[in-house]
Amino acid sequence: MPKYPLMIKTWPLILIIWVLDTIMTFLQIHMQEVTLYNNLILTATNGASAAFCACILSLVLLPYFIRRQQILLFALAAVSFCLVVSALVVYFSLPVICSSLGEVIARPQICSFQSMMPGHFISVLMCCGTVCGIRFYQEYARTYVDKEQLRTAHLEAELTLLRHQVNPHFVFNMMNSIHVLIEKDARQASEMVLEFSDMLRYQLYDCSKPFIPLQQEIIYLQNYVNVENKRRGNELQVDCKWDVHTPHCLISPLILTPFVENAFKHVSCFNDKPNYIRMDLYQEADSLFFVIENSREEEPPLPGDTVSTQKGIGLVNVQKRLALIYPEKHFLKIHETAGQYTVFLEVKINAAQNN
């Protein structure tokens, strides 16, 4: 919405344009050497009719036709209305007009309805056209703002829903991990429950914000990796690199987590060869890069580098969140081969909060 008060309210615009039109009319009549008294009468007559038409058209007819998306019909109605008002004003004020002009013109007989009507009609139409043009811009701006507010509310509601979908997905995975570890080592399972409670606290409180410091997200990921390492023991090799030089920059919470969850969920379980997960999070200027690889069971390679449609809800949700929060400000590539799954993500970490 325009920030200037005169572009928000209509009546100041009508007043300003009416004053300017009245001044111009007064000066034009004054140049014809009409007496001041008659000049004021003629100016007031023209100005009153212009102001009346501008108010009716801009405040009543224009909003009515805009709501019905009938702008062409409004234009026809506006011209007709100005024509009728001008005709009535000229007809009833003709004696005063002719009496005033008779003092300065050589041929008073040219003072007739046919000769006076066009000039008055054009003057009223120009005044009304200016006011209605600005009024149309106001209505368009108001409609645009309403649509943007509705769109923003819709996106916020969708993001909230997506976050709520991520949390149960994470909880189910971790509870299953704790269940498995209880049978192996009760003490480590107890420690995992405490770490898990800290992670839930992060999700419940910190993740309610639209953006958080990147360092908080990294700590959360590190805790997640530690919990998974305790559950899996020596059967999985996990290598992590965290190279971020501005840890206080902002990022959308849980935007990286689904990729880590997906790696641990689908990593291979070989007995005769290494099972690995490699994570590399690094920063260059205002871009954040996240590369994660995990070994996978031998399967026929998928055609091309497209993402399989049979993926979990976490990965699908993070793709939607990236599209909503970082539109045209991120690049995601997922590459699958027979023995490895690779995710490459680039995000402009300052793009979303600066928009």
Side-chain angles (χ1 to χ4, degrees), residues 1 6 70 138 167 182 221 227 317 320 346:
M1 177 66 67
L6 292 179
Q70 297 175 334
Q138 291 177 333
N167 291 344
I182 288 176
L221 293 177
V227 169
N317 282 344
K320 290 182 179 179
E346 177 186 359

Side-chain angles (χ1 to χ4, degrees), residues 224-242:
Y224 185 95
V225 172
N226 291 337
V227 169
E228 284 290 346
N229 278 335
K230 288 180 180 179
R231 181 178 73 87
R232 295 175 182 267
N234 298 325
E235 65 184 34
L236 179 63
Q237 179 184 355
V238 181
D239 297 322
C240 300
K241 295 180 181 179
W242 317 98

Side-chain angles (χ1 to χ4, degrees), residues 90-108:
V90 171
Y91 178 80
F92 287 105
S93 62
L94 194 61
V96 178
I97 296 175
C98 293
S99 174
S100 301
L101 294 180
E103 300 174 1
V104 296
I105 61 178
R107 294 184 299 164

Side-chain angles (χ1 to χ4, degrees), residues 190-244:
S190 178
E191 295 176 356
M192 184 184 295
V193 169
L194 294 178
E195 293 175 338
F196 182 46
S197 65
D198 291 336
M199 298 170 69
L200 285 180
R201 188 177 298 109
Y202 169 82
Q203 286 196 343
L204 291 175
Y205 296 102
D206 295 333
C207 293
S208 61
K209 305 172 185 178
F211 296 96
I212 61 172
L214 177 59
Q215 184 63 33
Q216 294 185 21
E217 183 79 0
I218 293 176
I219 293 175
Y220 175 81
L221 293 177
Q222 291 173 338
N223 289 336
Y224 185 95
V225 172
N226 291 337
V227 169
E228 284 290 346
N229 278 335
K230 288 180 180 179
R231 181 178 73 87
R232 295 175 182 267
N234 298 325
E235 65 184 34
L236 179 63
Q237 179 184 355
V238 181
D239 297 322
C240 300
K241 295 180 181 179
W242 317 98
D243 185 14
V244 177

Side-chain angles (χ1 to χ4, degrees), residues 322-342:
L322 284 169
L324 290 172
I325 304 174
Y326 301 96
E328 300 181 359
K329 300 295 182 180
H330 76 280
F331 174 75
L332 174 64
K333 182 178 180 181
I334 299 178
H335 180 69
E336 299 182 55
T337 64
Q340 182 172 287
Y341 188 94
T342 306

Side-chain angles (χ1 to χ4, degrees), residues 10 52-83 124-125 127-137 139:
T10 303
F52 173 76
C53 290
C55 289
I56 296 298
L57 292 176
S58 63
L59 298 178
V60 180
L61 294 183
L62 181 60
Y64 174 83
F65 283 103
I66 285 180
R67 286 193 296 268
R68 287 158 179 77
Q69 298 182 349
Q70 297 175 334
I71 301 301
L72 181 59
L73 188 58
F74 165 76
L76 296 176
V79 172
S80 302
F81 183 74
C82 291
L83 185 62
V124 172
L125 190 62
C127 179
C128 293
T130 303
V131 173
C132 289
I134 299 176
R135 176 64 173 162
F136 177 81
Y137 167 75
E139 290 293 326

Side-chain angles (χ1 to χ4, degrees), residues 12-279:
L13 293 173
I14 297 178
L15 180 61
I16 292 175
I17 295 173
W18 176 79
V19 169
L20 294 176
D21 181 70
T22 301
I23 293 174
M24 293 181 61
T25 302
F26 179 85
L27 294 176
Q28 289 177 350
I29 297 177
H30 178 72
M31 293 175 61
Q32 299 177 12
E33 299 181 359
V34 176
T35 62
L36 179 61
Y37 175 75
N38 289 330
N39 189 349
L40 292 176
I41 294 178
L42 293 173
T43 301
T45 302
N46 181 81
S49 58
F52 173 76
C53 290
C55 289
I56 296 298
L57 292 176
S58 63
L59 298 178
V60 180
L61 294 183
L62 181 60
Y64 174 83
F65 283 103
I66 285 180
R67 286 193 296 268
R68 287 158 179 77
Q69 298 182 349
Q70 297 175 334
I71 301 301
L72 181 59
L73 188 58
F74 165 76
L76 296 176
V79 172
S80 302
F81 183 74
C82 291
L83 185 62
V84 172
V85 172
S86 297
L88 292 175
V89 170
V90 171
Y91 178 80
F92 287 105
S93 62
L94 194 61
V96 178
I97 296 175
C98 293
S99 174
S100 301
L101 294 180
E103 300 174 1
V104 296
I105 61 178
R107 294 184 299 164
Q109 63 272 17
I110 69 172
C111 181
S112 61
F113 180 85
Q114 292 80 3
S115 60
M116 296 293 103
M117 173 62 185
H120 188 274
F121 168 68
I122 293 175
S123 176
V124 172
L125 190 62
M126 290 182 63
C127 179
C128 293
T130 303
V131 173
C132 289
I134 299 176
R135 176 64 173 162
F136 177 81
Y137 167 75
Q138 291 177 333
E139 290 293 326
Y140 171 80
R142 185 175 292 108
T143 301
Y144 177 80
V145 169
D146 291 341
K147 289 183 178 179
E148 285 299 307
Q149 291 176 345
L150 181 62
R151 177 176 176 271
T152 300
H154 175 74
L155 292 181
E156 290 177 352
E158 186 170 353
L159 285 174
T160 301
L161 177 61
L162 292 176
R163 281 201 190 99
H164 289 169
Q165 290 177 337
V166 170
N167 291 344
H169 177 72
F170 165 77
V171 171
F172 294 150
N173 284 348
M174 295 309 300
M175 292 300 292
N176 182 66
S177 299
I178 294 174
H179 173 72
V180 172
L181 186 59
I182 288 176
E183 300 179 355
K184 295 182 177 180
D185 191 327
R187 185 182 60 83
Q188 282 196 356
S190 178
E191 295 176 356
M192 184 184 295
V193 169
L194 294 178
E195 293 175 338
F196 182 46
S197 65
D198 291 336
M199 298 170 69
L200 285 180
R201 188 177 298 109
Y202 169 82
Q203 286 196 343
L204 291 175
Y205 296 102
D206 295 333
C207 293
S208 61
K209 305 172 185 178
F211 296 96
I212 61 172
L214 177 59
Q215 184 63 33
Q216 294 185 21
E217 183 79 0
I218 293 176
I219 293 175
Y220 175 81
L221 293 177
Q222 291 173 338
N223 289 336
Y224 185 95
V225 172
N226 291 337
V227 169
E228 284 290 346
N229 278 335
K230 288 180 180 179
R231 181 178 73 87
R232 295 175 182 267
N234 298 325
E235 65 184 34
L236 179 63
Q237 179 184 355
V238 181
D239 297 322
C240 300
K241 295 180 181 179
W242 317 98
D243 185 14
V244 177
H245 54 268
T246 56
H248 298 293
C249 63
L250 301 181
I251 190 173
S252 179
L254 299 177
I255 204 72
L256 305 176
T257 303
F259 299 113
V260 180
E261 289 182 348
N262 193 65
F264 278 99
K265 181 179 179 180
H266 297 287
V267 69
S268 60
C269 298
F270 298 128
N271 296 321
D272 56 344
K273 61 172 93 171
N275 303 300
Y276 63 86
I277 295 178
R278 304 187 186 102
M279 302 181 199

